[in-house]
Amino acid sequence: MYKYKNLTVLGTSHIAKQSIEQVRKAFKTIKPNIVALELDKPRFLALTSKNKIIPLKKYKGLNFKSFLFNLIGSYIEKNLSKQTGFSPGTEMKTAINLAKKQKIRIELIDQPINITINKLTSQLTKREKLSLLKEILLFPFAKNKIEFNLNKVPSEEIINKLIKETKEKYPTVYRILVKERNEYMAKALYKIMNTNPDNKILTVVGAGHQKEIINEIKKVIKN
């Protein structure tokens, strides 16, 4: 967990039991006035709606390649979640439910998923596509080689290692899924911080984003 001015950034794993516990603890200790989430509106509705049609709206605006890419990503995440017993995004849903119960304002700070995935599928190099395809095909046979406990949030050492490997092996993936989204979320958080200086803000994001989001906010302030 990282703190900067009136902002606390909690890094989570979207399928880990530990993340749910950390969200609950953060609400108790920080007592936030605003909760900012690594979600856009379609994903927020997909997590919170009981209507079976609404979750499909998260695919709206995706081209065919992006739609397939998103399905593959969802398939991998769901298979990993079977090992923990928690659906992807349960920690976000926990934060949403707590915020609603305590009448805390919710802000959605992530870039729209259709923009992110369309950019990714259109800008991936041929080498990256082939390498990704190979890893996806081998994924069912490699799932037991994961180096960390899926029920816990990965350590900073493991996160840094994974980010470094992604940056080197898949520079386009790193740029679009990590770097550009860090910048997008940092600008959104800076705006919330700037307009609510006396409020305590808790933001819940994937653990791979938390440290760099703080750095990006500092860059925005300097500029």
Side-chain angles (χ1 to χ4, degrees):
M1 194 155 58
Y2 288 79
K3 294 186 178 182
Y4 180 66
K5 296 183 181 292
N6 61 329
L7 174 70
T8 300
V9 182
L10 174 63
T12 67
S13 166
H14 300 314
I15 59 173
K17 179 182 179 181
Q18 184 187 35
S19 293
I20 299 168
E21 297 166 350
Q22 288 179 328
V23 167
R24 288 174 178 155
K25 184 178 179 180
F27 269 78
K28 287 181 181 179
T29 56
I30 297 166
K31 301 185 186 322
N33 306 104
I34 301 170
V35 174
L37 304 173
E38 183 198 340
L39 294 172
D40 61 354
K41 189 174 180 179
R43 283 179 290 159
F44 176 86
L45 291 175
L47 277 176
T48 59
S49 177
K50 295 179 181 179
N51 187 328
K52 293 182 180 180
I53 301 299
I54 287 180
L56 295 176
K57 291 185 177 180
K58 68 180 180 179
Y59 299 114
K60 186 178 180 181
L62 295 179
N63 59 42
F64 183 68
K65 286 183 180 179
S66 300
F67 175 74
L68 287 178
F69 188 90
N70 197 67
L71 281 182
I72 291 169
S74 296
Y75 169 77
I76 293 172
E77 192 171 42
K78 284 179 181 178
N79 271 271
L80 289 174
S81 70
K82 287 179 182 178
Q83 298 181 44
T84 67
F86 292 92
S87 301
T90 301
E91 96 285 15
M92 292 288 176
K93 198 169 183 178
T94 300
I96 293 167
N97 290 338
L98 287 171
K100 287 182 175 180
K101 185 178 180 180
Q102 298 175 30
K103 297 182 180 179
I104 298 170
R105 182 173 134 204
I106 296 173
E107 293 283 351
L108 308 179
I109 60 170
D110 201 4
Q111 180 172 256
I113 186 67
N114 62 319
I115 292 175
T116 302
I117 301 300
N118 283 340
K119 284 176 68 176
L120 183 62
T121 54
S122 64
Q123 296 180 31
L124 269 178
T125 64
K126 186 176 181 179
R127 181 187 65 80
E128 288 174 296
K129 288 178 182 177
L130 291 172
S131 186
L132 269 174
L133 180 61
K134 181 181 178 181
E135 290 201 17
I136 289 168
L137 291 173
L138 293 176
F139 172 76
F141 309 101
K143 62 184 178 182
N144 294 324
K145 297 180 181 180
I146 294 170
E147 298 177 359
F148 54 88
N149 186 342
L150 290 173
N151 283 296
K152 295 184 178 181
V153 179
S155 67
E156 189 167 333
E157 181 183 355
I158 291 175
I159 290 170
N160 290 338
K161 180 182 177 182
L162 291 173
I163 289 176
K164 183 181 178 183
E165 288 179 358
T166 302
K167 193 173 182 179
E168 292 173 352
K169 196 170 183 180
Y170 302 106
T172 306
V173 173
Y174 169 78
R175 174 172 55 82
I176 294 173
L177 292 188
V178 182
K179 186 175 185 297
E180 291 183 2
R181 287 175 60 225
N182 284 344
E183 293 169 355
Y184 186 99
M185 290 189 282
K187 288 177 181 177
L189 285 170
Y190 170 74
K191 185 177 179 180
I192 297 168
M193 292 169 66
N194 198 41
T195 53
N196 301 273
D198 299 322
N199 287 332
K200 289 180 285 186
I201 304 161
L202 170 65
T203 185
V204 183
V205 298
H209 295 288
Q210 60 176 346
K211 185 178 179 180
E212 283 308 310
I213 280 178
I214 295 291
N215 292 334
E216 289 297 333
I217 289 173
K218 291 177 180 179
K219 288 180 186 178
V220 174
I221 291 173
K222 285 182 180 180
N223 295 332

